[in-house]
């Protein structure tokens, strides 16, 4: 199985140009999260998503956003997936599912050995394992995800993933996708060379796995 790659935290037109050239599978936008330095407004999302190549899936990253707002963005075609990073519970996800059929990803903070069990119980289409609020560049204890290779649903691995440990993460977990943000930045801004290097490495890892 090929592993996909998501570049998260895009907020400038230059960022979109970079990913359009590198061609990751997913592009993440942190929406209405004022405390995040990567936050974008609805107007910014419309401009950035509209500039994104059609073969890259735009993902809205939300923290306790009203489901009606997420459904509105999806209905306008601005996002094709939603990543939920707050305290959204099962009822919230089911309610959102009634409003939209986009791909729903629930973020799970890996703090104990029950993370895989929590992922298995999630009603979301996929889960994302991270060390906390996201975009911190910190890596969680990978030993806490022992057994995740047997998870029945797609999962993303985030939290300090970069070119230095991407191959190790893929070999260990066989994830549906890896999620990168701060590792492809320089001085807090997305770096074209780092994005290109990360995507190229991912493609190389996939090609090597295919040839085995």
């Amino acid at each position: 199985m090929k592993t996909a790659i998501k570049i998260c935290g895009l907020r400038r037109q230059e960022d979109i140009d970079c990913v359009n050239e590198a061609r990751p599978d997913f592009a993440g936008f942190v929406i209405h999260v004022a405390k995040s330095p990567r936050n974008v407004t609805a107007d910014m999302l419309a401009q950035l998503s509209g500039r994104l190549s059609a073969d890259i899936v735009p993902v809205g990253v939300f923290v306790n956003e009203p489901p009606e707002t997420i459904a509105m963005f999806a209905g306008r075609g601005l996002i094709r997936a939603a990543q939920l990073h707050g305290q959204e519970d099962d009822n919230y996800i089911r309610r959102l599912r009634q409003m939209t059929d986009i791909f729903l990803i629930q973020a799970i903070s890996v703090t104990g050995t029950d993370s895989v069990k929590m992922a298995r119980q999630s009603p979301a289409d996929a889960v994302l394992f991270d060390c906390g609020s996201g975009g911190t560049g910190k890596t969680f204890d990978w030993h806490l995800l022992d057994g995740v290779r047997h998870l029945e649903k797609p999962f993303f691995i985030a939290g300090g993933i970069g070119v230095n440990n991407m191959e190790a993460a893929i070999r260990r977990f066989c994830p549906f996708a890896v999620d990168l943000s701060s590792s492809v930045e320089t001085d807090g801004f997305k770096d074209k060379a780092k994005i290109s290097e990360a995507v190229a490495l991912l493609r190389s890892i996939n090609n090597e796995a295919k040839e085995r």
Side-chain angles (χ1 to χ4, degrees):
M1 181 188 75
K2 293 199 305 182
T3 298
I5 184 169
K6 173 172 169 276
I7 303 297
C8 198
L10 308 179
R11 56 190 169 112
R12 305 175 301 162
Q13 291 190 2
E14 301 98 300
D15 299 342
I16 303 302
D17 294 340
C18 290
V19 295
N20 281 346
E21 182 175 328
R23 286 296 196 274
D25 303 281
F26 299 90
F29 301 95
V30 180
I31 305 168
H32 292 170
V33 184
K35 66 178 182 179
S36 171
R38 304 174 183 89
N39 178 58
V40 299
T41 64
D43 288 342
M44 293 168 66
L45 172 65
Q47 295 175 11
L48 297 172
S49 179
R51 192 182 182 94
L52 189 67
S53 175
D55 60 350
I56 302 173
V57 177
V59 182
V61 180
F62 302 96
V63 177
N64 302 323
E65 186 76 15
E68 295 82 2
T69 304
I70 298 177
M72 179 270 292
F73 288 139
R76 292 174 56 191
L78 301 181
I79 58 173
R80 304 206 317 259
Q83 181 176 315
L84 309 174
H85 254 282
Q87 287 74 51
E88 300 89 355
D89 59 13
D90 291 1
N91 289 332
Y92 175 102
I93 294 173
R94 293 189 180 100
R95 182 182 171 199
L96 179 57
R97 171 56 66 224
Q98 293 176 344
M99 299 177 182
T100 177
D101 61 356
I102 62 172
F103 193 63
L104 300 182
I105 308 162
Q106 184 174 24
I108 294 177
S109 180
V110 182
T111 57
T113 56
D114 60 344
S115 299
V116 176
K117 179 180 178 181
M118 293 170 59
R120 188 168 285 117
Q121 295 173 343
S122 171
D125 299 306
V127 294
L128 179 143
F129 294 109
D130 204 346
C131 64
S133 57
T136 63
K138 296 180 180 179
T139 304
F140 58 81
D141 182 356
W142 285 3
H143 289 95
L144 296 176
L145 285 190
D146 286 344
V148 75
R149 290 173 67 118
H150 303 294
L151 186 64
E152 298 82 3
K153 67 175 61 188
F155 64 93
F156 292 67
I157 295 291
I161 300 297
V163 296
N164 63 317
N165 62 1
M166 184 193 303
E167 184 170 7
I170 291 172
R171 290 185 183 280
R172 179 165 184 155
F173 299 119
C174 293
F176 168 74
V178 289
D179 189 308
L180 285 67
S181 183
S182 60
S183 69
V184 289
E185 293 180 348
T186 297
D187 296 329
F189 294 95
K190 291 294 180 284
D191 184 307
K192 178 179 179 180
K194 290 182 178 180
I195 291 174
S196 297
E197 181 185 14
V199 175
L201 175 60
L202 186 281
R203 303 296 182 227
S204 175
I205 293 170
N206 282 335
N207 287 338
E208 289 180 7
K210 184 179 179 180
E211 293 171 358
R212 289 197 192 100

